[in-house]
Amino acid sequence: MIISVDDVVAGAIDEASADLRKLSMAIHDNPELALKEDKACHLLVHYLESRGYTVQRNVAGLSTAFASTHVSSAGAHGLHIGFCSEYDALPGIGHGCGHNLIAISGVAMFLATTRVMDRCRIPGTVKLYGTPAEEAIGGKITMLDHGVFDDRDLLMMLHPTAGYSGAWHSQCCLSMRIEYFGKASHAAMAPWDGINAGTAANIAMLSMGALREQLKPDWRTHGIITNGGEAANVIPEYSSIEYTIRTAWASELQ
């Protein structure tokens, strides 16, 4: 009997579609910040276990990271595929980047691929990785450093976008925290005795804004002042900013 791979994939995802939508909405309606995605992690792990998959928790020392492995009914020798699911939210706006959709897309790919390998007798293994803290430390980096992905031949993830995108080029990024140290003084009684660290942070942000005119179209700079002082009538002795720069190629980042 000839087996249609398209039919197997569609059947696996259609079968899980209602469950995946519930998972997506549950994660969306309960946004959790980086390394605090306890509910989202539990929902995904519980669902995978309910489908008969074994799940390893606390991967790479991250309490909200997991890995689920499936060995093909045709044996483990063959292609070793991996998929990633993200599920952390952004402060203030929740799932503005659609990580709830990335989460269920990873699950959908995992379910479909395991079904295809079993039904079509394709040897190999498939893994689904729960990768937390994308918006902070980048959980994948920690997992990579711990060798979690070393046994994979192929590692993929789906990311939502507005409209159709046949090809998408990701950006390289470098995040940094900059601190300024000055000298405190009363802003009304003796401002001349102070050195305003808050002014340094403000000038840095304005300077980066002015620099944008000379940046290439695909370069990005964005940041926030994380500490600008404690009281309006005290010249701040300390300030800090967090900044991220992005370019299309690693060679341009420096």
Side-chain angles (χ1 to χ4, degrees), residues 48-71:
L48 290 168
E49 290 178 335
S50 73
R51 296 292 300 259
Y53 295 101
T54 58
V55 182
Q56 176 189 357
R57 295 169 171 80
N58 302 314
V59 172
L62 301 173
S63 63
T64 52
F66 67 84
S68 182
T69 305
H70 177 78
V71 179

Side-chain angles (χ1 to χ4, degrees), residues 35 60 62 131-144 149:
L35 299 177
L62 301 173
T131 58
E134 180 64 23
E135 300 291 359
I137 64 170
K140 297 185 197 68
I141 299 173
T142 301
M143 296 167 77
L144 178 69
F149 308 129

Side-chain angles (χ1 to χ4, degrees), residues 4-16 20 47-48 51 53 70 81 83 104-120 122 126 128:
S4 168
V5 173
D6 288 349
D7 289 344
V8 175
V9 169
I13 295 178
D14 286 346
E15 178 185 305
L20 294 176
Y47 178 72
L48 290 168
R51 296 292 300 259
Y53 295 101
H70 177 78
I81 305 170
F83 300 110
I104 64 163
S105 296
V107 175
M109 291 189 290
F110 180 67
L111 296 176
T113 306
T114 58
R115 181 76 63 86
V116 168
M117 295 180 81
D118 286 345
R119 288 284 304 278
C120 300
I122 301 172
V126 189
L128 176 65

Side-chain angles (χ1 to χ4, degrees), residues 168-251:
W168 181 64
H169 194 301
S170 60
Q171 292 178 309
C172 304
C173 74
L174 177 65
S175 296
M176 63 199 79
R177 178 182 175 88
I178 302 99
E179 296 179 300
Y180 300 96
F181 298 89
K183 179 184 177 184
S185 182
H186 197 284
M189 298 298 293
W192 46 83
D193 286 337
I195 301 175
N196 197 321
T199 299
N202 187 41
I203 290 174
M205 297 286 286
L206 292 171
S207 297
M208 291 302 292
L211 182 63
R212 285 195 177 98
E213 183 182 4
Q214 275 69 51
L215 298 183
K216 293 183 178 181
D218 56 354
W219 290 7
R220 300 287 183 268
T221 68
H222 45 91
I224 58 171
I225 295 178
T226 52
N227 190 320
E230 300 297 328
N233 63 341
V234 177
I235 290 178
E237 63 180 351
Y238 173 82
S239 68
S240 61
I241 64 176
E242 289 183 3
Y243 228 86
T244 299
I245 57 175
R246 302 175 190 260
T247 63
W249 303 99
S251 58

